Amino acid sequence: MNVDRRKASLFATAAVVRLLFFSFPGLPDLLTGRVEISTPVTSFKRLQEGLFLYNHNVSPYDGGVYHQAPLLLPLFSLLPNSMSYPAFTYLLYILVDLLSANALMQIAETGEAGSSKLYTSPRKDKRWSSYAIAAAFLFNPFTIATCIGRPTSVFTTCAILHAIAKAVVGASFTSMFALSFAAYISMYPILLFPPLVLLAYDRKRNRNEEETVYSFVIGNAMAVGGSLYALLQMSFLITGSWEFLESTYGVQLLLPDLTPNVGLWWYFFIEMFDSFRNFFLGVFWIHLSSYVAGLTIRLRRQPLFVLTILLGIFAIFKPYPSISDTSLFLALFPLYRHVFPLMRYTFLASSTVLYATLLGPAFYYLWIYAGSGNANFFYAITLVWSLGLSILVADTLFAVLRDEWEVERPEMRGKEIRQV
């Protein structure tokens, strides 16, 4: 059996780096409690609380602390106690990161970002190797911090990347199952279904397998529905009731837990009068989901980019975002190396994100521990964080649209454009 030594060296180095960080006294527990890493629906501490109740034959959803998927409980119950033998939990999270990187390499090796079924960029030869893209993901400080903090969002990241990796090779039903698992854990990935199914359809047509797009979409929608039904039924068998639906998905839909995070929802709804709460919940959810149809239709020829840009949008506008969502967007972002020269605000976006990354923990400390600030301190820096990500997402979208425009209008290549 041939062993890819470069890949093995890369993965081994990434694993060793994570083990070194795990070995720092107190660091895993410190990062586990950080609001930038753990949210009410992904927190490892809350998972431990739910696991304790589950192991003592008490409903894990009693008390309103545990808001995560029921199937995570039997998975973690197979591991030794994380307080007494933490190494097994560490190895699980390292393995999930490596699996995510492996799926990312598979996506990069297909070249889908530069040359899809319906569109080929004239700059497609400007690309980084799959090793460089995997390294950028594995050694991204956001990815490492997420792994050390041990939120359950790493499982969502892994499932989404595997769904995309299977779609780009035309394995549609495997892709739909991975998407269903991601949606089962975090709910929001179900919005990725339209571009993902189009990506799988394009790849299937590359193999000259004739099937209408309508029957293909219906078949895959049934696969997603069947997979979700099976996962929910298994959850019912584990918990003995449907209580988990309200505690897991109702919390994300209705936002009863307003624990601070890097998102835009929590402070807004703290200040919101109860009489307007339901209206603005609907507005926020419609805003989040409204991007899916427009981007899928406008960028039909590049479904992988639609997935990438949607993940960036979700990292900004979902109810309980964390740096894990940002690391997922940044994992796919280097696939579009060929449009980097067309981007206009790279320095502004990167410096804004770096500024917020460094000052965010400081402002949170001033508010919670030093007592010399208030919630406005931390919310202000989360607005700067969201602004930086918004600039990066919008600039990437501009670069891809400009790339398409220069293919349609070759005489305009290299010329400046202005909005009139």
Side-chain angles (χ1 to χ4, degrees):
M1 182 177 64
N2 294 326
V3 177
D4 189 335
R5 294 187 177 181
R6 291 177 63 188
K7 182 177 179 180
S9 300
L10 174 62
F11 282 22
T13 305
V16 169
V17 168
R18 283 159 172 74
L19 285 173
L20 289 175
F21 279 109
F22 274 125
S23 66
F24 279 31
L27 182 60
D29 291 334
L30 172 66
L31 294 181
T32 298
R34 295 300 309 178
V35 295
E36 300 90 348
I37 297 173
S38 298
T39 69
V41 295
T42 63
S43 171
F44 182 72
K45 287 185 176 180
R46 297 192 181 217
L47 174 63
Q48 293 300 103
E49 176 71 19
L51 188 61
F52 178 83
L53 296 175
Y54 173 76
N55 288 333
H56 288 80
N57 297 319
V58 179
S59 172
Y61 300 100
D62 285 352
V65 174
Y66 182 67
H67 302 303
Q68 300 172 51
L71 290 182
L72 293 173
L73 297 172
L75 169 64
F76 280 88
S77 66
L78 297 174
L79 301 176
N81 187 286
S82 62
M83 298 296 294
S84 305
Y85 305 98
F88 293 93
T89 304
Y90 297 164
L91 292 174
L92 173 63
Y93 276 84
I94 292 172
L95 177 62
V96 172
D97 264 11
L98 297 182
L99 288 174
S100 298
N102 186 64
L104 187 60
M105 291 183 70
Q106 294 174 7
I107 298 169
E109 288 167 356
T110 62
E112 175 72 19
S115 180
S116 63
K117 170 70 176 178
L118 301 176
Y119 178 77
T120 299
S121 170
R123 302 174 174 86
K124 65 183 178 64
D125 294 329
K126 293 181 179 179
R127 52 183 291 195
W128 283 316
S129 69
S130 59
Y131 302 100
I133 291 172
F137 169 73
L138 288 171
F139 297 105
N140 184 338
F142 294 157
T143 308
I144 296 174
T146 299
C147 181
I148 308 305
R150 294 163 294 170
T152 53
S153 54
V154 299
F155 298 100
T156 305
T157 296
C158 186
I160 290 175
L161 288 175
H162 274 85
I164 298 174
K166 293 302 179 182
V168 295
V169 296
S172 60
F173 287 106
T174 308
S175 174
M176 293 304 114
F177 177 76
L179 178 67
S180 302
F181 186 73
Y184 167 76
I185 297 175
S186 298
M187 196 176 74
Y188 80 90
I190 197 65
L191 295 174
L192 299 174
F193 174 77
L196 190 68
V197 75
L198 289 178
L199 175 60
Y201 178 72
D202 288 347
R203 280 293 175 169
K204 190 171 184 179
R205 288 202 304 171
N206 277 347
R207 301 202 304 256
N208 296 321
E209 297 181 27
E210 293 299 329
E211 185 177 3
T212 65
V213 65
Y214 300 107
S215 61
F216 187 80
V217 170
I218 292 172
N220 282 275
M222 293 176 63
V224 170
S227 299
L228 284 173
Y229 177 77
L231 291 169
L232 294 175
Q233 281 293 338
M234 292 169 64
S235 300
F236 173 77
L237 293 175
I238 290 172
T239 60
S241 73
W242 295 103
E243 180 185 10
F244 70 91
L245 291 176
E246 180 182 354
S247 298
T248 302
Y249 308 113
V251 166
Q252 298 187 51
L253 284 171
L254 304 178
L255 211 77
D257 192 321
L258 297 175
T259 302
N261 53 67
V262 298
L264 303 173
W265 293 45
W266 64 275
Y267 187 80
F268 185 88
F269 284 97
I270 284 176
E271 301 295 330
M272 177 59 57
F273 291 110
D274 288 342
S275 56
F276 298 105
R277 181 181 173 85
N278 291 336
F279 170 75
F280 280 99
L281 275 173
V283 170
F284 273 54
W285 272 111
I286 291 172
H287 171 256
L288 178 66
S289 57
S290 63
Y291 291 97
V292 177
L295 287 171
T296 303
I297 294 171
R298 173 60 184 85
L299 296 166
R300 166 66 185 93
R301 296 186 293 174
Q302 300 189 66
L304 179 59
F305 179 71
V306 178
L307 291 164
T308 303
I309 210 72
L310 284 177
L311 290 173
I313 291 171
F314 294 159
I316 303 169
F317 295 117
K318 62 179 283 196
Y320 293 106
S322 67
I323 62 171
S324 175
D325 302 292
T326 305
S327 71
L328 175 56
F329 167 62
L330 295 179
L332 294 170
F333 179 65
L335 295 174
Y336 291 88
R337 162 70 181 86
H338 58 282
V339 299
F340 282 7
L342 300 176
M343 297 177 67
R344 302 168 296 175
Y345 308 117
T346 308
F347 174 76
L348 176 61
S350 57
S351 59
T352 303
V353 171
L354 180 61
Y355 172 85
T357 301
L358 296 176
L359 284 186
F363 281 23
Y364 186 77
Y365 175 84
L366 289 174
W367 171 31
I368 299 296
Y369 299 104
S372 58
N374 54 33
N376 294 326
F377 271 58
F378 184 65
Y379 189 61
I381 202 65
T382 62
L383 289 176
V384 175
W385 166 266
S386 299
L387 174 64
L389 289 179
S390 298
I391 294 172
L392 183 60
V393 168
D395 203 24
T396 308
L397 179 60
F398 167 82
V400 168
L401 291 176
R402 172 74 195 233
D403 187 62
E404 285 191 356
W405 185 63
E406 290 186 356
V407 171
E408 297 168 0
R409 302 277 302 276
E411 72 278 5
M412 301 301 294
R413 182 169 184 174
K415 294 184 179 179
E416 183 181 357
I417 60 172
R418 296 179 181 178
Q419 184 176 0
V420 179

